[in-house]
């Protein structure tokens, strides 16, 4: 319906504006205090795939920011883990079709987020591999190829 189109466009534009945070990782602690990470993660289940894929892109940019200090990264990773991001990202990953260029990019960005989580907090490897289901997904992906 057209009445939702405007609100989805506004949401998409606001998500794009949040990408500027990746240029200022020193603001991560303030961003985390706004408690919007949980809301953003909730958008991974949005029926509009452009929105859910942009959320992944945003978290990828935040997790991969060049100027972030270990403390900034740790704060972001801690918040992502607190909000069960690995499970939510895996659920989203299952919906993607790597045959589509944009969705394949989102798969890559999701894996890069997992890499950032593991670099910052190696002890989450078991949770990511087993509980979130990354290992099973990777093995299934290898078998298909």
């Amino acid at each position: 319906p057209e009445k939702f189109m405007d609100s989805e466009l506004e949401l998409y534009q606001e998500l794009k504006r949040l990408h500027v945070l990746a240029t200022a990782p020193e603001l991560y602690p303030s961003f985390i205090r706004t408690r919007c990470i949980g809301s953003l993660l909730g958008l991974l289940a949005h029926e509009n795939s452009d929105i859910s894929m942009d959320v992944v892109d945003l978290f990828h940019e935040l997790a991969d920011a060049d100027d972030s200090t270990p403390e900034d990264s740790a704060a972001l990773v801690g918040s992502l883990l607190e909000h069960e991001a690995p499970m939510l990202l895996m659920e989203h990953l299952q919906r993607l079709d790597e045959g589509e260029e944009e969705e394949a990019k989102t798969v890559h960005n999701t894996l890069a987020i997992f890499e950032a989580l593991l670099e910052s907090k190696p002890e989450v490897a078991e949770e990511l591999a087993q509980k979130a289901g990354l290992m099973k997904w990777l093995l299934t992906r290898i078998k298909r190829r």
Side-chain angles (χ1 to χ4, degrees), residues 32 37 71-84 117 120-121:
I32 291 164
I37 286 186
E71 295 80 20
D72 297 332
S73 295
L76 177 66
V77 165
S79 185
L80 289 172
L81 292 171
E82 178 184 326
H83 290 92
E84 299 188 2
L117 292 174
S120 180
K121 206 164 183 171

Side-chain angles (χ1 to χ4, degrees), residues 4 9 24 32 34 53-54 57 88-89 91 113-114 118:
F4 295 119
L9 181 59
I32 291 164
T34 66
M53 290 189 301
D54 195 52
D57 189 40
L88 297 169
L89 287 165
E91 288 173 13
I113 294 168
F114 291 152
L118 291 168

Side-chain angles (χ1 to χ4, degrees), residues 12-13 15 19 23 27-28 37 45 47-48 50-51 55 59 71 86 88-89 100-101 107 110 112 119-120 141-142:
Y12 186 75
Q13 290 170 339
L15 283 172
H19 284 257
T23 64
L27 297 177
Y28 288 3
I37 286 186
E47 63 184 30
N48 182 332
D50 289 334
I51 290 174
V55 170
F59 282 125
E71 295 80 20
L88 297 169
L89 287 165
E100 299 291 325
E101 185 178 340
V107 168
T110 302
E119 284 177 357
S120 180
R141 185 173 185 244
I142 290 170

